[in-house]
Amino acid sequence: MKILVTGGAGYIGSHTCVQLLEHGMDVVVIDNLANSSEESLKRVQEISGRPLEFHKIDLLERAWLEALFRDHQFDAVIHFAGLKAVGESVQIPLSYYRNNISGTINLCETMANHNVKTIVFSSSATVYGEPEQVPITEEFPTAAYNPYGRTKLFIEEILKDLYNSDNAWNIVLLRYFNPVGAHKSGKIGEDPKGLPNNLMPFISQVAVGKLKELSVFGNDYSTPDGTGVRDYIHVVDLAIGHVKSLDKLLGKTGVHTYNLGTGRGYSVLEMIKAFEKVSGQRINFNIVDRRPGDIAECFADSTKALKELDWKTERDIDEMCADTWRWQSQNPDGYQ
Ligand code: NAD
Ligand code: WQD
């Protein structure tokens, strides 16, 4: 089976490539390297002991996509490529809409031209906006409060319209909760450019001495310790979710939507404690104001993925922290 992975050099994409290769699939990656480096793919091949094919292609370059699809007969596409920084999306919304939405339209048009109609799309728990209750099931109403979130929501809607227009499509919408952790080998992991936006890479950069202290965004939420609660999911469990989606759903036309989370929330303070325990490092932190746009609590009901994909998470919070720490301490400057 031959899979095209867009954005495969990135954080979740690289971990998914390892799983696909280890499952005996042939993998072709395209990435414009806007937020990644080709080194991640070299290491993916080292870990899996199998080769993959890489092309530095931007999804906005339609002609290159057409050429790629002429050269390869793909069975499915896993579509990770996109810009993902919420704050940046508020500053440069048009870049986000062009890159994420136009990129996806180019991809789907090219797929249709070449009769490739299976796509697994990286959606996000952000499409639930501020949920009225937790845990969150796939039926919850959707909303988006920033341009990044709107790109995810719009793309979900575009893909549903595509299916409605042509029932031969097989569309899988995977709504990720908060991906963290790294591959056990310590060779691949999350390598944010500049100051990390997300909690886990921030904590690990404080632990390794690159950053002085973590700002905890608010301790007055209505959560057990007042800090924000999220459903952190190990990136390897998430990657396996993609392989299971292909295993179970290939050939089954329709639009299939799944939450990928653990079903358990951890607060910011719990995350700090867990990381200190496994790393033996002290994480200095300071409580500051809430970050605008943040919600109090968010965690998944992933029962549907268990029932239909036979998927559940297997890596706990200690493993998420230990694997992040191995990656960060062995690669203090990421892939540089
Ligand atoms: P990432 O930035 O590490 O990976 C995305 C990759 O896409 C990068 O390698 C980037 O260079 C590439 N890319 C971006 N625009 C492109 C374009 N026009 N053409 C070709 N390549 C392009 O991010 P990630 O954390 O691995 O996320 C992967 C996907 O999952 C994204 O769509 C993201 O929105 C989604 N997602 C991420 C999270 C998270 O917290 N990491 C949560 C939910 C959903
Ligand atoms: C987690 C918790 C913060 C940083 C974001 C996107 C979402 C999805 C995942 C892609 C919150 C707190 C964080 C810091 C802190 N991405 N925090 N200090 O906000 O749940 O989700 O990434 O789809 O769309 O919005 O993740 O890791 O930024 O924050 O106190 O320096 O950590 O307030 O409670 P979030 P996060």
Side-chain angles (χ1 to χ4, degrees):
M1 190 146 64
K2 194 186 268 191
I3 312 296
L4 173 64
V5 181
T6 77
Y11 172 46
I12 306 170
S14 56
H15 287 82
T16 303
C17 286
V18 169
Q19 296 301 322
L20 293 168
L21 291 167
E22 287 180 348
H23 273 74
M25 296 177 185
D26 294 325
V27 174
V28 176
V29 168
I30 58 171
D31 199 303
N32 65 1
L33 305 181
N35 195 40
S36 53
S37 105
E38 205 179 331
E39 177 63 21
S40 65
L41 294 174
K42 291 199 183 110
R43 298 190 187 185
V44 163
Q45 295 173 85
E46 271 170 43
I47 294 168
S48 63
R50 291 196 53 216
L52 58 69
E53 191 176 315
F54 172 63
H55 299 272
K56 187 172 178 225
I57 290 179
D58 193 309
L59 284 181
L60 298 176
E61 300 279 357
R62 184 61 189 273
W64 288 101
L65 278 181
E66 287 288 347
L68 183 79
F69 275 76
R70 272 197 298 275
D71 287 350
H72 294 276
Q73 183 55 53
F74 296 116
D75 296 286
V77 176
I78 306 182
H79 178 31
F80 294 106
L83 298 173
K84 63 161 183 178
V86 172
E88 184 184 63
S89 80
V90 176
Q91 304 303 320
I92 49 168
L94 298 181
S95 301
Y96 270 67
Y97 289 125
R98 186 180 54 229
N99 191 75
N100 294 3
I101 297 180
S102 301
T104 302
I105 293 172
N106 275 347
L107 175 66
C108 291
E109 283 179 342
T110 312
M111 289 174 68
N113 286 346
H114 297 267
N115 204 29
V116 179
K117 295 189 175 175
T118 297
I119 182 168
V120 179
F121 173 62
S122 299
S123 189
S124 166
T126 197
V127 302
Y128 296 113
E130 183 149 22
E132 277 185 10
Q133 60 190 70
V134 279
I136 299 168
T137 69
E138 290 81 357
E139 284 71 44
F140 272 37
T142 52
Y145 297 133
N146 54 66
Y148 166 73
R150 273 187 277 279
T151 69
K152 291 291 163 193
L153 206 46
F154 291 164
I155 293 169
E156 284 201 0
E157 295 302 317
I158 289 168
L159 293 174
K160 288 176 193 167
D161 285 339
L162 182 58
Y163 173 74
N164 289 337
S165 73
D166 176 0
N167 290 171
W169 278 85
N170 178 8
I171 290 164
V172 186
L173 307 175
L174 299 181
R175 293 174 174 165
Y176 313 155
F177 281 65
N178 289 56
V180 297
H183 190 266
K184 266 259 154 311
S185 62
K187 286 178 190 284
I188 57 171
E190 187 168 10
D191 181 20
K193 289 206 161 108
L195 201 63
N197 298 303
N198 296 111
L199 179 66
M200 190 62 131
F202 209 109
I203 290 180
S204 65
Q205 291 197 15
V206 172
V208 85
K210 286 186 76 177
L211 297 171
K212 209 167 112 275
E213 68 175 15
L214 169 75
S215 295
V216 174
F217 298 141
N219 66 350
D220 56 352
Y221 286 105
S222 56
T223 57
D225 65 21
T227 65
V229 168
R230 297 290 184 276
D231 186 339
Y232 298 94
I233 170 174
H234 197 297
V235 66
V236 173
D237 281 326
L238 187 59
I240 292 169
H242 294 73
V243 179
K244 291 257 179 175
S245 300
L246 290 177
D247 277 353
K248 296 282 174 189
L249 296 173
L250 208 69
K252 293 196 179 140
T253 58
V255 179
H256 314 278
T257 306
Y258 298 98
N259 285 340
L260 297 186
T262 66
R264 160 97 157 79
Y266 283 89
S267 74
V268 177
L269 297 181
E270 285 176 316
M271 292 301 285
I272 295 172
K273 228 178 247 151
F275 201 92
E276 285 182 330
K277 189 182 82 180
V278 303
S279 67
Q281 305 296 310
R282 197 184 145 77
I283 310 298
N284 294 319
F285 68 88
N286 188 24
I287 310 282
V288 301
D289 286 347
R290 292 181 179 193
R291 182 171 63 180
D294 270 1
I295 58 174
E297 197 173 19
C298 169
F299 57 91
D301 180 331
S302 290
T303 317
K304 189 178 174 207
L306 176 61
K307 276 199 197 132
E308 296 183 14
L309 303 179
D310 188 27
W311 173 90
K312 67 175 168 45
T313 59
E314 290 184 343
R315 291 158 183 82
D316 66 11
I317 203 73
D318 286 350
E319 203 167 341
M320 297 180 209
C321 293
D323 292 343
T324 302
W325 179 235
R326 191 177 304 104
W327 153 253
Q328 183 72 70
S329 51
Q330 289 178 10
N331 306 269
D333 296 316
Y335 291 111
Q336 302 281 302

